Amino acid sequence: MENNTTIKTHKYRLYPTKPQEAAMFETLRLTRTLYNAALEQRISAYKKQGKTVTGYDQQKELTALKEACPEFAGVYSHVLQEPLERLDKTYKSFFARVKRGEKAGFPRFKPAGRWNSFKFKEVWDKKKGRWLSPGRPTDDGKRINIPKIGSVKIKFHRPLEGTPKTLQIVLDVNEWYAVYTCEVAKNPLPATGSSVGVDVGTTWFAITSDGEFVENPRHLKNGLRKLRVQQRTVTRRKKGSNRRRKAVKLVAKTHQKIRRQRLDFHHKTARKMVNEHDVIAHEDLKVSNMVQSNLARSISDAGWSQFFTLLAMKAESAARRVVPVAPNYTSQRCHQCGHACRENRLSQARFKCVSCGHEANADHNAALNILDKAGARPSGVNGSGVSHAVV
């Protein structure tokens, strides 16, 4: 049965009072403490007894934990369950990577700087079709209820769509946000009859088989001089001092601006492609492996993984198809005759086939090859709106 809904997130700025903000910081501290304690329990149980502790086992101990440590009783029950579920998911991902023979990366303890959110798992009563207590907006739409914290001021800059599922409270540098995950109906766009191949790069962000060259904005590179000055200031400040904390916050704000610029660019570029094409093909790149190269900074600055994720999400909502294809020989194969060899690629931009003499821009030739691969064999569309070509 075809799924006519998709998941969409809505992010709104929160403006807590000082007591409310203190309570939110305390919730972050307690949930992080619980995560780290649960990880320590799992490690110790396996080392000392050879026993595996599950997330379900740990959740059953929450009642006893609240009795032993009354401070945890001041945290909403679902919020306490979520760190244990997060840890359980992390463990399962670890063992899945081990099974696949990949670099595993054992779960790590979380310092304060790497723990910036807590989550309410349910905000909507399905049976009665109404809000539950967490995240419920007030009648005037200017505040939301956050259990154990209070009625917090919020800016609903756009309407909340669909049926809300979860609510996550996120701290981004020094700003608080409410992130609702909602189930919304798909909004299919009219067919265009167009298919396109997309080759991503560092010189140009994207080159399409239609001959369109999308400029790479290089947000990180443009902000690098400012970042270097700020980071040098951090190193000169005494560790633990207020001046150092202020300098660290300035660095974080600069990174925040760069992230937002990149995200905005990715949203707009992905939206344009989804609006104009029924089928969008791109290389199925392992970006995490590619950032080990000498182009690591340029690749991270481009943010291909985030772009492909947004592209797939927008395509799913619009009933479009996104087709990731194997990247093998896309930059070395001649689109005209099919001959593939390293000598075809004369430089970053020039392509000349040693077999038939065909000359073209190397990236445009690669985009044409990507489009060919996407249509080389029949492929089905799964529920996420992404087709996987078997090539």
Side-chain angles (χ1 to χ4, degrees):
M1 182 181 293
E2 184 180 356
N3 186 6
N4 293 320
T5 61
T6 186
I7 299 298
K8 189 173 183 179
T9 58
H10 296 77
K11 186 176 180 180
Y12 304 102
R13 179 79 183 271
L14 291 173
Y15 298 90
T17 62
K18 287 187 177 180
Q20 288 172 341
E21 187 173 37
M24 290 157 81
F25 273 118
E26 179 67 2
T27 302
L28 283 181
R29 185 186 71 82
L30 291 173
T31 51
R32 180 175 63 88
T33 300
L34 180 60
Y35 180 96
N36 289 337
L39 177 56
E40 176 64 33
Q41 182 187 32
R42 286 190 178 217
I43 294 172
S44 298
Y46 186 78
K47 283 184 177 179
K48 295 177 181 179
Q49 305 171 9
K51 179 183 175 183
T52 299
V53 179
T54 67
Y56 179 71
D57 295 332
Q58 293 180 319
Q59 286 193 36
K60 289 193 296 185
E61 298 175 7
L62 285 177
T63 303
L65 173 67
K66 290 179 181 179
E67 294 176 357
C69 303
E71 57 184 350
F72 284 96
V75 181
Y76 194 69
S77 58
H78 282 188
V79 173
L80 286 179
Q81 292 171 14
E82 195 272 333
L84 303 180
E85 293 176 356
R86 197 187 305 190
L87 177 62
D88 197 50
K89 185 178 179 180
T90 303
Y91 256 83
K92 289 176 181 177
S93 298
F94 164 72
F95 286 117
R97 289 192 296 272
V98 171
K99 190 174 182 179
R100 293 194 299 265
E102 300 174 0
K103 185 177 179 180
F106 189 79
R108 294 184 291 181
F109 293 98
K110 300 291 186 182
R114 291 184 175 272
W115 191 269
N116 66 343
S117 68
F118 56 92
K119 186 176 181 179
F120 297 89
K121 299 189 298 178
E122 284 184 87
V123 298
W124 189 259
D125 188 331
K126 293 181 181 178
K127 293 182 179 179
K128 298 182 180 179
R130 65 183 185 184
W131 284 95
L132 296 173
S133 179
R136 184 179 64 237
T138 56
D139 293 337
D140 59 5
K142 294 183 178 181
R143 294 177 177 273
I144 62 169
N145 179 55
I146 303 180
K148 307 288 187 176
I149 292 171
S151 181
V152 181
K153 186 178 178 182
I154 188 171
K155 177 66 175 178
F156 281 109
H157 62 278
R158 58 175 176 172
L160 194 63
E161 300 176 50
T163 304
K165 309 286 283 184
T166 65
L167 168 64
Q168 192 166 17
I169 306 300
V170 179
L171 173 65
D172 188 358
V173 187
N174 62 340
E175 300 171 354
W176 291 93
Y177 291 90
V179 181
Y180 289 92
T181 301
C182 301
E183 187 177 33
V184 301
K186 291 182 180 179
N187 183 27
L189 294 176
T192 64
S194 173
S195 299
V196 71
V198 181
D199 181 54
V200 293
T202 54
T203 304
W204 295 92
F205 175 75
I207 305 90
T208 72
S209 54
D210 291 343
E212 180 182 0
F213 287 71
V214 181
E215 287 197 30
N216 186 358
R218 295 182 174 86
H219 296 114
L220 176 60
K221 184 178 179 180
N222 294 337
L224 211 52
R225 178 176 293 182
K226 183 177 181 180
L227 273 173
R228 282 172 177 158
V229 172
Q230 292 176 335
Q231 287 166 341
R232 286 171 188 157
T233 303
V234 171
T235 60
R236 290 196 297 267
R237 300 288 186 254
K238 183 179 178 181
K239 289 186 177 180
S241 67
N242 286 331
R243 295 180 75 208
R244 183 184 175 96
R245 277 192 285 271
K246 289 179 181 179
V248 168
K249 186 169 288 187
L250 286 177
V251 174
K253 285 185 176 180
T254 302
H255 277 295
Q256 180 191 58
K257 180 178 179 180
I258 292 170
R259 286 197 312 272
R260 290 175 173 177
Q261 288 175 323
R262 185 184 297 121
L263 180 63
D264 180 68
F265 169 71
H266 287 165
H267 269 294
K268 290 175 180 176
T269 306
R271 171 51 58 199
K272 184 175 182 294
M273 288 185 181
V274 168
N275 286 349
E276 295 178 355
H277 307 286
D278 294 339
V279 179
I280 305 166
H282 66 79
E283 291 177 306
D284 190 12
L285 299 175
K286 303 298 180 186
V287 180
S288 58
N289 295 336
M290 297 175 70
V291 293
Q292 307 298 324
S293 70
N294 56 355
L295 292 174
R297 179 179 289 166
S298 298
I299 293 172
S300 298
D301 195 6
W304 298 332
S305 291
Q306 178 176 264
F307 171 70
F308 291 149
T309 300
L310 290 173
L311 186 64
M313 290 170 59
K314 292 181 187 299
E316 177 188 6
S317 178
R320 304 296 207 205
R321 288 177 55 205
V322 172
V323 188
V325 302
N328 311 60
Y329 304 108
T330 53
S331 62
Q332 299 176 10
R333 176 181 175 271
C334 176
H335 174 65
Q336 292 290 340
C337 69
H339 177 71
C341 70
R342 186 177 298 176
E343 290 73 20
N344 284 350
R345 187 82 181 249
L346 299 179
S347 68
Q348 177 66 31
R350 289 187 61 206
F351 182 94
K352 183 176 181 179
C353 180
V354 298
S355 177
C356 70
H358 171 67
E359 292 189 51
N361 178 279
D363 295 323
H364 183 218
N365 179 78
L368 290 167
N369 287 330
I370 291 168
L371 181 59
D372 285 347
K373 277 195 169 189
R377 298 180 188 180
S379 55
V381 181
N382 61 24
S384 66
V386 180
S387 300
H388 291 274
V390 185
V391 290

